Amino acid sequence: MKVLVAPLDWGLGHATRCVPVIREFLNHGAEVELAVVRSNAGLLRGIFPELRQRLVPSYNIVYPKHGYNMGLWLVKNGAHLRTVMNYEHRIAEEMVKRFHYDVLVSDNRFGFYSRNAKSIYMTHQRRIAFPRVLSAFESLGMLWQASVMKHFDEVWVPDLPEFPGYAGSLSHVKNCPVPVKYVGALSRFGGKEWDSSTCLGKLGPYCFVAVVSGVEPARTRFENLLRKVLVKIPGRHAIILGKPSLGLKTSNENNLDLFTHLPDEQFASVVRSAQWVISRGGYSTVMDMAVLGARCVFVPTPGQYEQVILGRDLAREGFAATIDESRFSTESLLATIGEKACVALPKPGENNLLKDAVKELMSFSTEGRVSSAGSRLPSATLRG
């Protein structure tokens, strides 16, 4: 069976949570290739150097400077998003025809499906969260998500089937136009026991480890804010910049160790050596930190209300702390960890959800597929 995995390029989280999916397909004997853009190609090449990569169009997302402009930004860029979706769908169809893929796995690439291959759409955000002042539009967001999902054969949700899981009401939604499978919390650190002393060498232990992620200009703004805040706190701290395209580079500024990027084993070691981890509240980061057993302070990206909801719900359950970026300072950070000293993300239990989903695909031989127009089309024969 030949599989093409295509993560969205809004930050690196979509690529990292595809790692266990890719590994599971490989474990079952599938031939796997990767559909990448330049921003996530380096990270995936470092983990899977033997896998062929094929370039696909980028969404070229740049978030507004201020989060409250997000609604206007979406209206302004709606035509651009639709253009990319239509273009990537044409490319997906051409790639299936040319390279004979049996399965396409799209992590939130809205148009990356084919009528001639089994098409899987992976997302935890079955409900698009809106701020309270725009809550009237939430039903429209769900309708839009449904219009995307209907082009796929299955929806895979990287969460636990039991509510609340890790994504709460974002992932646990009753209605969906296609079959839904929960595939468990997906992290590239899953399935291993990580020792904080392994490969740590002269690195750590740290008081705070900050992980920078996301798209510009919010990514750089967060990095600069972290430098300003952490340098005033006694002790040794680290900032992982999330720039794999720059290679592995280390520098020091005052009491800060700066890493452009770290391989998984070193990343895990540095995180597990920290008393606290500061990061954006992206869902892939939440899953990674849960697997690594980190105590977290989440600083949601302005304009990404999904991160606000995740941070709020996790804080309410006593799993993590959260601080709004506009309030993030040395003083607010120290006050928050003083109040939330006992927070801890629950570690995911063992399950076979992803393994069973992949195994079911592998056992699939020939099956008809209903197009969005309702006509019956023969699907590709999947070769196990």
Side-chain angles (χ1 to χ4, degrees):
M1 185 171 79
K2 193 171 184 180
V3 180
L4 182 65
V5 178
L8 186 66
D9 59 312
W10 294 13
L12 294 176
H14 294 279
T16 59
R17 75 183 187 188
C18 282
V19 169
V21 175
I22 296 167
R23 286 174 176 158
E24 195 62 49
F25 275 111
L26 291 173
N27 289 340
H28 280 80
E31 178 184 353
V32 181
E33 296 184 358
L34 309 176
V36 301
V37 300
R38 298 192 186 279
S39 62
N40 59 29
L43 181 142
L44 290 171
R45 186 178 298 111
I47 300 172
F48 301 105
E50 75 283 2
L51 298 187
R52 181 187 295 274
Q53 295 189 348
R54 301 192 185 278
L55 286 177
V56 290
S58 169
Y59 274 76
N60 291 318
I61 296 301
V62 177
Y63 279 98
K65 182 177 181 181
H66 302 291
Y68 54 76
N69 289 332
M70 198 64 181
L72 294 176
W73 180 91
L74 286 171
V75 172
K76 179 181 177 181
N77 290 273
H80 165 72
L81 292 176
R82 176 55 62 181
T83 298
V84 175
M85 289 168 62
N86 291 337
Y87 181 48
E88 72 173 347
H89 173 56
R90 292 198 300 271
I91 286 181
E93 292 287 14
E94 291 171 3
M95 293 176 78
V96 169
K97 181 178 180 181
R98 182 178 178 183
F99 302 114
H100 310 292
Y101 296 111
D102 303 301
V103 175
L104 300 184
V105 178
S106 164
D107 187 327
N108 271 105
R109 290 201 67 114
F110 313 118
F112 206 81
Y113 63 90
S114 171
R115 297 182 179 183
N116 297 298
K118 191 83 169 180
S119 298
I120 309 298
Y121 182 67
M122 192 163 76
T123 184
H124 70 279
Q125 200 173 358
R126 295 175 59 201
R127 177 176 74 90
I128 299 177
F130 281 77
R132 185 172 298 177
V133 294
L134 299 174
S135 60
F137 295 96
E138 195 165 282
S139 59
L140 294 178
M142 292 184 68
L143 287 174
W144 183 85
Q145 274 283 56
S147 72
V148 169
M149 294 175 184
K150 72 179 183 180
H151 295 294
F152 294 82
D153 294 290
E154 294 179 2
V155 172
W156 286 8
V157 180
D159 200 358
L160 303 175
E162 299 81 13
F163 183 86
Y166 289 94
S169 60
L170 294 178
S171 65
H172 295 81
V173 178
K174 289 184 178 179
N175 299 319
C176 186
V178 296
V180 173
K181 292 178 181 176
Y182 288 85
V183 293
L186 301 183
S187 169
R188 67 188 191 275
F189 303 109
K192 297 183 179 180
E193 290 297 326
W194 300 96
D195 182 353
S196 60
S197 64
T198 301
C199 294
L200 201 55
K202 297 181 180 179
L203 309 180
Y206 294 105
C207 297
F208 289 97
V209 168
V211 181
V212 185
S213 61
V215 295
E216 299 294 357
R219 197 214 68 82
T220 295
R221 186 176 66 243
F222 187 41
E223 175 189 334
N224 293 335
L225 183 57
L226 287 165
R227 291 172 185 250
K228 180 180 177 181
V229 167
L230 293 179
V231 75
K232 299 177 183 178
I233 300 177
R236 194 176 179 193
H237 317 298
I239 302 178
I240 304 172
L241 301 176
K243 294 182 174 181
S245 61
L246 298 182
L248 303 178
K249 298 179 182 179
T250 304
S251 59
N252 305 95
E253 293 182 7
N254 299 308
N255 60 339
L256 305 179
D257 291 341
L258 306 176
F259 306 99
T260 55
H261 173 64
L262 286 175
D264 285 358
E265 194 164 8
Q266 285 184 302
F267 183 101
S269 296
V270 167
V271 165
R272 287 179 61 85
S273 81
Q275 296 178 31
W276 288 90
V277 174
I278 308 169
S279 71
R280 292 304 198 186
Y283 186 61
S284 296
T285 299
V286 171
M287 292 188 290
D288 286 344
M289 295 303 111
V291 168
L292 294 176
R295 288 197 300 171
C296 296
V297 177
F298 293 122
V299 184
T301 304
Q304 288 190 255
Y305 195 63
E306 169 213 4
Q307 294 189 11
V308 176
I309 291 292
L310 284 172
R312 183 198 67 191
D313 291 349
L314 291 169
R316 183 180 297 165
E317 295 292 331
F319 296 157
T322 184
I323 305 175
D324 186 87
E325 185 183 280
S326 64
R327 294 179 48 252
F328 188 70
S329 66
T330 303
E331 294 74 20
S332 66
L333 176 59
L334 293 176
T336 297
I337 65 171
E339 296 171 359
K340 302 286 187 178
C342 297
V343 301
L345 285 163
K347 195 167 184 178
E350 296 293 330
N351 64 70
N352 292 320
L353 295 171
L354 176 61
K355 181 178 180 180
D356 290 344
V358 171
K359 186 176 180 180
E360 185 173 338
L361 272 183
M362 296 294 293
S363 64
F364 170 87
S365 56
T366 304
E367 182 177 318
R369 178 173 188 275
V370 181
S371 73
S372 59
S375 60
R376 198 74 179 175
L377 296 175
S379 67
T381 298
L382 304 194
R383 301 179 296 276

